[in-house]
Amino acid sequence: MNPRVSLPAAESTRTKLLDAARDAFAAKGFHGTTTRDIAAAAGMSPAAVYVHHRTKESLLYAISLAGHEATVRSLREARDGAGTPPAQLAAMVHTFVMGHTLGHTMARVVNYELAALTDEHRATIDGLRHAIQLLIREVLAAGVESGDFDCGEIGMTTNAIMGMSIDVARWYVEDGDWSPERIAAHNAQMALRMAGYRGG
Amino acid sequence: MNPRVSLPAAESTRTKLLDAARDAFAAKGFHGTTTRDIAAAAGMSPAAVYVHHRTKESLLYAISLAGHEATVRSLREARDGAGTPPAQLAAMVHTFVMGHTLGHTMARVVNYELAALTDEHRATIDGLRHAIQLLIREVLAAGVESGDFDCGEIGMTTNAIMGMSIDVARWYVEDGDWSPERIAAHNAQMALRMAGYRGG
DNA sequence: ACGCTGACTAAGCGCTTGCTTAGCGTCGCA
DNA sequence: TGCGACGCTAAGCAAGCGCTTAGTCAGCGT
């Protein structure tokens, strides 16, 4: 019953803090959120935030880093679990959109609060974003190579597919008309069309 | 030579203020921008801002309103200038994306700072956003009706097309690899594919 | 029994924020 | 020539900000 048995107090506090910060940043933006907001949402005093994070920005960085790394991981898994470029693209977009619906608060912070990071942190995150973009681009290139896809400029098509998927986090609302699964499946189909898939 | 001859001082100051606020909001977000930032960028004292706008939020609202109304106008013009649903969709997406590249600072404020509006202002803006979405949706529906398009759920396809186009404002940089014209043309083609256009 | 450690709080410091006040100079008009 | 309206500034107020300080308290090894 006591969570301390299975989880140290400091650890559960850390994640409560990160969750509270993520939700607040998503709802009001980094600059619109105060450290008092975060502390209150996590059920503690403002000073307790600084036991775990040196600055408010380091909270944002921790959230952003975890979110981007999770995205890279899930995209790689989706790619490696499918055989052909079309199947890979569909699986990757499906996974990506599932992440941007189920985790839309995380996704909003990840995609729309980059400007609040310090220069060094921003550089690290930009590296991860480049890797994510490259994963999509490579699958498109492989599909063009194999003759499955016919899209003009691969770079612009990559941006179009990713843009469509990222933007889901901006408009998605829980308890809306469409389930995450439906949106993900639809976007995967859209991506295949955009890539000029000759099947489907 | 004297701008006061052709334009009242108050009017040019007003637009300088709006331009400065738009650029600052786009770069640092509404809450990350101070009234002193805006005043300095417009070349005046902080108090001068309040001669023209009662609050900082009313500046945001003025920018947001003008941006949304311009979008509605340009989409209607694009639609009315084309004959068939495919030509209309292509023209509308082309126009929309041109607006989101050439006016990417405006577009960033318009799409990503909605949460900073007051409830009343937000309601007005939401009405305009609904109208914009409806314009795309109606063309898709007309194309399905005429047999030109074959897309599954019209609502989700609308969101996918608009999401792809809106997101352009997030990643577009001036002096990048692609011109606004090229991006707009590419996205128009993507939109036709997403709609399931049997031609092109 | 003891002091140490680590998570936490109450209080508050110095600064910045959005916005206001009081007043100045210039203009059109009587 | 006088005067009010207007656009603007210098100075500053109250509130809120990120973050710090000083200290409390439970748990633990010795």
Side-chain angles (χ1 to χ4, degrees):
Chain A
M1 281 300 177
N2 187 347
R4 287 169 188 236
V5 171
S6 58
L7 204 61
E11 201 52 40
S12 80
T13 302
R14 263 193 85 88
T15 62
K16 264 211 301 192
L17 223 35
L18 287 172
D19 287 354
R22 181 201 60 207
D23 291 347
F25 290 160
K28 302 189 285 183
F30 178 78
H31 292 294
T33 300
T34 70
T35 55
R36 287 164 179 80
D37 289 339
I38 298 168
M44 51 189 18
S45 77
V49 174
Y50 293 88
V51 172
H52 302 281
H53 293 90
R54 280 183 56 260
T55 63
K56 186 172 88 155
E57 188 271 348
S58 86
L59 261 169
L60 174 65
Y61 177 60
I63 293 164
S64 196
L65 190 65
H68 280 93
E69 285 176 340
T71 298
V72 170
R73 222 177 302 124
S74 74
L75 283 179
R76 289 218 178 102
E77 280 172 19
R79 181 197 59 190
D80 296 344
T84 64
Q88 285 177 323
L89 180 64
M92 289 167 85
V93 170
H94 191 282
T95 294
F96 194 75
V97 172
M98 287 297 284
H100 277 64
T101 49
L102 295 174
H104 65 278
T105 56
M106 171 67 95
R108 277 169 202 170
V109 176
V110 156
N111 288 303
Y112 301 126
E113 301 300 329
L114 297 170
L117 292 167
T118 63
D119 288 346
E120 291 101 45
H121 289 166
R122 177 63 188 269
T124 303
I125 296 295
D126 279 346
L128 283 164
R129 293 184 75 81
H130 183 72
I132 290 167
Q133 195 178 38
L134 207 63
L135 284 167
I136 301 290
R137 178 189 249 279
E138 283 173 349
V139 169
L140 280 178
V144 169
E145 182 79 13
S146 69
D148 287 311
F149 294 156
D150 174 31
C151 62
E153 163 71 58
I154 289 181
M156 276 195 281
T157 305
T158 302
N159 278 8
I161 291 173
M162 292 199 63
M164 164 187 76
S165 305
I166 286 171
D167 198 65
V168 168
R170 192 183 51 78
W171 59 260
Y172 175 78
V173 284
E174 289 169 30
D175 308 319
D177 287 344
W178 310 306
S179 67
E181 175 58 40
R182 279 236 291 161
I183 299 169
H186 186 267
N187 273 36
Q189 190 204 358
M190 291 290 107
L192 287 175
R193 288 184 176 190
M194 293 159 92
Y197 178 44
R198 304 178 184 287
Chain B
M1 282 299 179
N2 187 346
R4 287 169 188 234
V5 169
S6 57
L7 204 62
E11 200 54 39
S12 80
T13 302
R14 262 193 86 88
T15 61
K16 265 210 302 189
L17 224 34
L18 287 172
D19 286 355
R22 181 202 59 207
D23 291 348
F25 291 160
K28 302 189 285 183
F30 178 78
H31 292 295
T33 300
T34 70
T35 55
R36 285 162 179 82
D37 289 340
I38 298 168
M44 50 190 16
S45 77
V49 174
Y50 294 89
V51 172
H52 302 280
H53 292 91
R54 283 184 54 260
T55 62
K56 186 173 88 157
E57 188 272 346
S58 87
L59 262 168
L60 174 64
Y61 177 60
I63 293 164
S64 196
L65 190 65
H68 280 93
E69 283 175 342
T71 298
V72 170
R73 222 177 303 125
S74 73
L75 283 179
R76 288 218 179 102
E77 280 172 19
R79 181 197 58 190
D80 296 343
T84 63
Q88 286 177 322
L89 180 65
M92 289 167 85
V93 170
H94 191 281
T95 294
F96 194 76
V97 172
M98 286 298 282
H100 277 63
T101 48
L102 294 173
H104 65 278
T105 56
M106 172 66 94
R108 277 167 202 170
V109 176
V110 156
N111 289 303
Y112 301 125
E113 302 299 328
L114 297 170
L117 292 167
T118 63
D119 287 348
E120 291 101 45
H121 289 166
R122 177 63 189 268
T124 304
I125 296 296
D126 278 346
L128 283 164
R129 293 184 76 81
H130 183 72
I132 290 167
Q133 195 178 39
L134 207 62
L135 284 167
I136 300 290
R137 177 188 250 279
E138 284 171 349
V139 169
L140 280 178
V144 168
E145 183 79 12
S146 69
D148 286 313
F149 293 157
D150 173 31
C151 61
E153 162 71 56
I154 290 180
M156 276 195 281
T157 306
T158 303
N159 278 8
I161 290 173
M162 294 200 63
M164 164 187 77
S165 305
I166 287 171
D167 198 65
V168 168
R170 192 184 51 78
W171 59 260
Y172 175 79
V173 284
E174 289 169 30
D175 309 319
D177 288 343
W178 311 306
S179 68
E181 174 58 41
R182 279 236 291 161
I183 298 168
H186 185 268
N187 273 37
Q189 191 204 358
M190 291 292 107
L192 287 175
R193 288 184 176 189
M194 292 158 91
Y197 179 45
R198 305 178 185 288

